[in-house]
Amino acid sequence: QVQLVESGGGLVQPGGSLRLSCAASGFMFSSAAMRWYRRAPGKERESVAVIDSAGGITSYADSVKGRFIIARDNAKNTAYLQMNSLKPEDTAVYYCNAVRTVNIIFPVFGPWGQGTKVTVSS
């Protein structure tokens, strides 16, 4: 059974940092690109970052570019999202999922997991 378990969210002040983790199992993690998405209150889900299977290619949404870093450890079947210089507009539930390539937005697996909640507030 495919499992994608997000963790690491919490409450942080503007300008602070958080590191999210995505523990994956039930599929060939090392063959899949991984993407982080978020859904802010009252808004549609959006992609924020993607990384290819080997970890050599990354891409970011304009809204997080220069602040967020996506990474992965294939030996641990885990993807990460380092979030720096956080802003209130980063407040959202964050999700991970696999994609076939870094050029594809639509995820491989469904339904979506629970995600991990990030709240940026003073």
Side-chain angles (χ1 to χ4, degrees):
Q1 182 179 355
V2 172
Q3 297 280 344
L4 295 167
V5 181
E6 301 92 346
S7 63
L11 175 64
V12 64
Q13 293 183 333
S17 297
L18 285 173
R19 187 194 190 203
L20 308 184
S21 295
C22 170
S25 61
F27 67 100
M28 188 64 71
F29 178 81
S30 62
S31 296
M34 295 296 295
R35 190 177 288 273
W36 283 95
Y37 308 78
R38 68 185 181 187
R39 179 166 51 85
K43 297 183 179 179
E44 297 291 321
R45 182 181 282 108
E46 64 174 345
S47 173
V48 297
V50 66
I51 187 167
D52 75 331
S53 60
I57 301 172
T58 59
S59 186
Y60 302 89
D62 288 343
S63 58
V64 308
K65 194 172 298 181
R67 300 187 298 119
F68 290 12
I69 302 170
I70 188 171
R72 67 190 297 156
D73 186 339
N74 285 349
K76 296 181 178 179
N77 280 10
T78 302
Y80 305 95
L81 187 67
Q82 178 67 46
M83 305 186 296
N84 302 313
S85 301
L86 284 161
K87 304 175 180 179
E89 51 263 46
D90 295 319
T91 295
V93 178
Y94 285 73
Y95 306 85
C96 63
N97 215 317
V99 291
R100 294 293 302 275
T101 74
V102 295
N103 304 118
I104 296 173
I105 300 295
F106 196 80
V108 171
F109 302 115
W112 294 93
Q114 191 67 35
T116 186
K117 186 177 182 179
V118 172
T119 302
V120 184
S121 176
S122 60

